[in-house]
């Protein structure tokens, strides 16, 4: 087989066989197929798409390109969750402890921020000492002993995806549903998931800008899951405005802890309860969503969900006093409130503009090697549909200096829009 023939076949609209896909993925993982051929191949997929069968074969080939974590000796059923990325999405920090406190052991490998969307690992590293580089042996031991792990993706899982993703990032081939679906699902399969809840975001602060595109991605991922014999539930969640109130690493840890104590913002609490209920049903801990939700609420009420988060932080070397006393977390020197310019209703809190402004404050990276600033970000006081009076606070900016503060204020003013007439709140899920 020759790489060029496979590229030509795909270019001309042909359907690739399992053998051709395996040959190509093995070739670029081993470095035998050069980057320029891999890039050309990715572009043929972006332009011509892939059938459900091809997408499944690509996913399996990438999943099997490195080690496959087998959790069947550790848990009875490994239930994972995945968010396709957004602004203010700290769901994992709350949902994992909730479901673990309900008796569903949950070990998850998360990522760092990507562009304007935040990453769970960056948020966790706001807690001094917290380790995100557990070995496979540590992962399994901790999952068996305390039923919760939250760490980074180990390098030996799905290396083909790592290589392909890096090339896609710089060759204009990120926005392809088969490539995104296989990228996400290959990592989930390699990480040993038997079942998973996919939190697919739709809106201006997400990869998928429309509900229709998010639905296509959700369908592609559930089809892969079914063909690979896994149980998959996909939810389509709004990402036109940030989730909850906090955007920024330590600020989001604070909000996650508030949610675990039952005092988080209503939309974020609701989002977490819904996801937890789905995970508890998939993991056979709850017979239906209503009871799953009730179990999750009970774990928040009785303090066991917060206690589980403390156990997690302690087990991974973090200083638990920082989540028991949230004022110890990194905090910015300057906090300034932006107020509404007019009386009426909030018509827009543009998630992408807020996400980009958070990166500009230092909460994310402009370049791969940048250090993130854990202290900076935003706390949004008003969401779409809320009534406001002129002069009422709509957002707090947490910044390091006056120049940052001024740029962030301009971004907030651009992100918010008001209407003199009533505006419907945005749905949480579509
Ligand atoms: N997240 C991933 O892991 N892969 C993609 O291709 C896009 C988002």
């Amino acid at each position: 087989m020759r790489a060029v023939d496979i590229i030509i076949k795909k270019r001309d609209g042909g359907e690739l066989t399992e053998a051709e896909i395996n040959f190509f993925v093995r070739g670029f993982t081993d470095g035998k197929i050069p980057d320029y051929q891999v890039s050309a191949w990715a572009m043929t997929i972006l332009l011509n798409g892939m059938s459900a069968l091809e997408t499944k074969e690509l996913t399996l080939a990438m999943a099997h390109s490195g080690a496959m974590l087998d959790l069947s000796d550790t848990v009875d059923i490994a239930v994972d969750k995945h968010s396709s990325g957004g602004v203010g999405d700290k769901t994992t920090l709350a949902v994992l402890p909730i479901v673990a406190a309900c008796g569903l052991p949950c070990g998850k490998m998360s990522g760092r921020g990507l562009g304007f969307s935040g990453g769970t690992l960056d948020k966790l590293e706001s807690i001094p000492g917290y380790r995100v580089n557990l070995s496979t042996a540590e992962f399994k031991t901790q999952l068996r002993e305390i039923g919760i792990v939250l760490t980074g993706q180990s390098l030996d899982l799905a290396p083909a995806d790592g290589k392909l993703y890096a090339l896609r990032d710089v060759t204009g081939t990120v926005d392809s549903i088969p490539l995104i679906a296989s990228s996400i699902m290959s990592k989930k399969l390699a990480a040993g998931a038997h079942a998973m809840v996919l939190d697919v975001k739709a809106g201006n602060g997400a990869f998928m800008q429309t509900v229709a595109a998010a639905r296509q991605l959700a369908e592609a991922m559930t089809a892969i899951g079914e063909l690979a014999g896994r149980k998959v539930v996909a939810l389509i969640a709004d990402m036109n405005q940030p989730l909850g109130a906090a955007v920024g690493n330590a600020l989001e840890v604070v909000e996650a802890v508030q949610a675990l104590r039952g005092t988080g913002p209503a939309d974020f609490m609701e989002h977490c309860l819904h996801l937890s209920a789905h995970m508890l049903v998939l993991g056979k801990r709850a017979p239906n969503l209503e009871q799953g939700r009730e179990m999750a609420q009970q774990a928040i009420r009785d303090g066991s969900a917060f206690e589980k988060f403390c156990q997690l932080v302690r087990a991974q070397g973090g200083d638990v006093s920082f989540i028991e006393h949230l004022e110890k977390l990194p905090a910015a020197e300057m906090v300034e409130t932006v107020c509404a310019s007019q009386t009426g209703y909030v018509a827009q809190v543009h998630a992408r503009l807020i996400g980009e402004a958070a990166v500009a404050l230092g909460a994310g990276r402009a370049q791969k090697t940048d250090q993130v600033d854990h202290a900076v970000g935003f706390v949004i006081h008003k969401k779409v549909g809320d009534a406001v009076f002129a002069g009422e606070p709509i957002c707090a900016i947490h910044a390091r200096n006056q120049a940052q503060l001024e740029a962030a204020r301009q971004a907030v003013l651009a992100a918010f829009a008001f209407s003199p007439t009533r505006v419907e709140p945005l749905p949480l899920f579509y």
Side-chain angles (χ1 to χ4, degrees), residues 292-308:
R293 192 185 163 86
E294 178 47 41
M295 286 167 71
Q297 279 172 319
Q298 180 58 23
I300 293 171
R301 268 195 304 269
D302 67 18
S304 57
F306 177 65
E307 181 44 39
K308 196 47 89 174

Side-chain angles (χ1 to χ4, degrees), residues 82 84 114 161 165 168 174 179-180 183-184 187 207:
H82 180 84
S84 63
L114 195 62
D161 174 63
Y165 193 87
R168 286 169 56 212
V174 170
L179 291 177
I180 296 176
S183 165
I184 292 172
K187 286 178 283 213
F207 270 119

Side-chain angles (χ1 to χ4, degrees), residues 8 19 215 360 362:
I8 290 170
R215 187 177 299 279

Side-chain angles (χ1 to χ4, degrees), residues 385-399:
D386 287 348
V388 281
F389 292 105
E392 209 183 338
I394 52 172
C395 178
I397 303 168
H398 294 240

Side-chain angles (χ1 to χ4, degrees), residues 240-419:
N240 285 299
Q241 64 181 346
L243 180 61
V247 179
N249 300 295
L251 294 169
E252 293 191 43
V253 171
V254 170
E255 189 163 291
V257 168
Q258 287 166 345
L260 289 168
R261 287 176 158 155
T263 60
D267 65 333
F268 179 53
M269 298 290 298
E270 181 56 36
H271 188 87
C272 291
L273 290 174
H274 196 61
L275 252 83
S276 301
H278 273 289
M279 289 182 77
L280 291 168
V281 170
L282 275 183
K284 299 191 168 66
R285 283 353 187 232
N288 54 47
L289 288 178
E290 292 69 39
Q291 291 191 42
R293 192 185 163 86
E294 178 47 41
M295 286 167 71
Q297 279 172 319
Q298 180 58 23
I300 293 171
R301 268 195 304 269
D302 67 18
S304 57
F306 177 65
E307 181 44 39
K308 196 47 89 174
F309 189 51
C310 293
Q311 259 186 318
L312 167 73
V313 170
R314 230 176 269 122
Q316 291 190 214
D319 183 339
V320 83
S321 72
F322 281 69
I323 54 170
E324 288 166 339
H325 305 281
L326 293 167
E327 66 283 359
K328 289 180 72 176
L329 282 167
E333 293 79 4
M334 306 178 90
V335 180
E336 191 179 291
T337 304
V338 182
C339 296
S341 54
Q342 61 190 85
T343 295
Y345 296 86
V346 177
Q348 172 188 280
V349 189
H350 199 287
R352 182 178 292 241
L353 292 182
I354 296 286
E356 287 171 352
V359 174
L361 280 172
R365 297 176 186 77
Q367 295 183 346
K368 251 169 81 174
T369 47
D370 287 350
Q371 293 288 321
V372 303
D373 184 340
H374 294 108
V376 296
F378 299 98
V379 179
I380 314 268
H381 300 310
K382 295 283 180 186
K383 305 285 290 272
V384 171
D386 287 348
V388 281
F389 292 105
E392 209 183 338
I394 52 172
C395 178
I397 303 168
H398 294 240
R400 291 288 189 187
N401 59 51
Q402 197 59 42
Q404 276 187 346
L405 206 55
E406 196 41 49
R409 190 206 323 272
Q410 295 308 322
V412 169
L413 293 175
F416 271 82
F418 302 96
S419 162

